[in-house]
Amino acid sequence: MNINNIVVVSPMHNEIKTLINNRNLAYHFRFLPEEKVTTGDLEWADAFVAFNTKKDYDYSQVQWVHSLGAGVDRFLFKKSWPEGVLLTRTICSFGQRIAEYCLSYILKDVQFHDSFQQLQTNKTWEPITPRLLSEQKVMIFGTGEIGQKTAEVLSTFGIEVYGVSLSGKNKAYFKEVLPVGSLEKRLGEVNYVINTLPLTEKTEKLFDRQIFNSLSNAGFINVGRGASVDEEALLEALDRKHVRFAVLDVFAVEPLPREHPLWNHPSVTITPHISAVTTPNEGVDCFVDTLRNIEAGNSLRNQVDIGKGF
């Protein structure tokens, strides 16, 4: 693969330009906000580097597309991908960030932060014994890099961690990995469910009434993709106490519309897609590392399997 001309499209294009220019790379770059991208830019480019794009482009005109985010559903979900075009994604601190995000809300729950805050507001002295992390069971949907890192961090505290994947193949840090179709024996036992799955046609609305109704007063944390959740089914499960609380960082439509009922539900915590932020430095580091590996003909651990969608 011969890469000379590279288009970078991102809301952070100015920061990325400064960081890349400091590397003194021997390539020709165009750094653009999306509203200024033209068909001529793609005709000129050998590689297209992008983050948070809203439009669909003709990627058959380039040799390589690199996502500055971990997810690639914007490129692949319900779309065809041109044969022979390489697609890679960013791998950086996502796993650690997501693991810490999830751990923070589990700790908040077992330590009864909300209850003590209410007792303080009421000026009521009422001891409640916190639960131990080592007594908790967590089921993580997705056993890839992010899910596995989350399992590693949680299991360090003695949490019993189960995994769910399409294959059911065993992975380190999971007590057991189950295929998607064989969850019944564990769903009712777990205290928390965490979704880290990418969005594909197989995971769209995977979290439906059947899964939610199989839970028993569990906490649900979504750091994967919003469209993998049937939001109406989640609201019903919350009202019926199958789901005790939900922490949602991702949604089918973002930003979440102001009129959406999730905003006002007392058992829902909403964060604005911040559980795994890509910093400009991290994004540039992974891009440059990938570029060098491509030019050297090395294997790429961040190459996307087009057939699988991740």
Side-chain angles (χ1 to χ4, degrees):
M1 187 180 295
N2 188 21
I3 303 295
N4 293 299
N5 302 329
I6 303 171
V7 171
V8 178
V9 180
S10 169
M12 305 179 291
H13 64 280
N14 284 326
E15 295 170 85
I16 292 172
K17 179 179 181 179
T18 299
L19 291 168
I20 287 180
N21 284 345
N22 289 340
R23 303 292 187 99
N24 296 315
L25 299 174
Y27 301 88
H28 303 293
F29 286 92
R30 292 181 184 177
F31 301 92
L32 302 167
E34 186 166 18
E35 60 269 20
K36 292 190 177 180
V37 177
T38 67
T39 54
D41 292 316
L42 270 86
E43 292 170 356
W44 171 82
D46 302 307
F48 187 88
V49 180
F51 178 72
N52 202 27
T53 56
K54 302 296 188 293
K55 300 176 185 176
D56 292 325
Y57 298 95
D58 181 5
Y59 298 116
S60 66
Q61 298 184 79
V62 300
Q63 301 175 58
W64 168 40
V65 176
H66 178 73
S67 169
L68 288 169
V72 291
D73 49 279
R74 185 67 192 84
F75 301 98
L76 297 180
F77 183 57
K78 294 186 177 179
K79 298 180 176 71
S80 60
W81 187 254
E83 186 176 351
V85 177
L86 174 68
L87 177 61
T88 57
R89 64 186 182 91
T90 296
I91 294 177
C92 55
S93 63
F94 296 133
Q96 186 67 34
R97 288 178 184 274
I98 283 178
E100 292 180 12
Y101 176 97
C102 295
L103 177 61
S104 73
Y105 285 101
I106 293 173
L107 280 169
K108 178 175 180 282
D109 187 49
V110 299
Q111 293 290 328
F112 297 107
H113 287 191
D114 290 340
S115 297
F116 287 124
Q117 183 61 58
Q118 187 60 53
L119 289 169
Q120 180 178 340
T121 300
N122 298 336
K123 299 180 180 178
T124 300
W125 185 274
E126 183 181 328
I128 305 172
T129 302
R131 302 192 304 272
L132 292 171
L133 288 175
S134 59
E135 298 170 346
Q136 309 309 306
K137 295 181 180 181
V138 174
M139 180 176 283
I140 300 175
F141 282 70
T143 60
E145 183 171 346
I146 290 173
Q148 197 167 12
K149 185 63 180 181
T150 304
E152 178 186 357
V153 170
L154 297 184
S155 62
T156 299
F157 292 92
I159 295 174
E160 194 170 285
V161 185
Y162 296 88
V164 177
S165 68
L166 295 175
S167 67
K169 181 180 178 181
N170 288 332
K171 293 281 189 75
Y173 309 112
F174 294 98
K175 180 171 183 177
E176 182 182 17
V177 178
L178 303 165
V180 172
S182 303
L183 306 179
E184 292 77 8
K185 66 177 181 178
R186 294 295 182 200
L187 278 172
E189 300 176 4
V190 298
N191 306 101
Y192 306 94
V193 170
I194 299 171
N195 175 39
T196 71
L197 288 168
L199 178 60
T200 69
E201 294 190 26
K202 290 183 178 180
T203 64
E204 183 182 18
K205 291 194 175 180
L206 174 67
F207 292 89
D208 56 10
R209 285 177 177 84
Q210 182 178 351
I211 284 183
F212 285 131
N213 290 344
S214 298
L215 298 174
S216 179
N217 208 31
F220 177 66
I221 302 174
N222 191 11
V223 289
R225 282 294 183 262
S228 60
V229 175
D230 181 333
E231 293 173 348
E232 184 177 336
L234 173 58
L235 285 163
E236 290 178 7
L238 286 161
D239 291 338
R240 295 174 180 174
K241 306 303 180 184
H242 291 293
V243 176
R244 184 160 43 86
F245 71 86
V247 177
L248 307 175
D249 187 53
V250 289
F251 303 88
V253 177
E254 296 182 3
L256 185 65
R258 292 177 62 86
E259 66 276 9
H260 200 290
L262 284 170
W263 281 112
N264 298 318
H265 199 288
S267 300
V268 172
T269 297
I270 289 171
T271 56
H273 206 143
I274 50 77
S275 61
V277 174
T278 307
T279 67
N281 274 309
E282 288 176 318
V284 168
D285 284 345
C286 185
F287 158 69
V288 172
D289 183 62
T290 305
L291 176 60
R292 286 172 174 161
N293 281 325
I294 288 172
E295 293 289 31
N298 298 331
S299 61
L300 303 171
R301 72 187 187 100
N302 59 335
Q303 180 172 349
V304 174
D305 184 321
I306 303 301
K308 291 182 178 178
F310 55 88

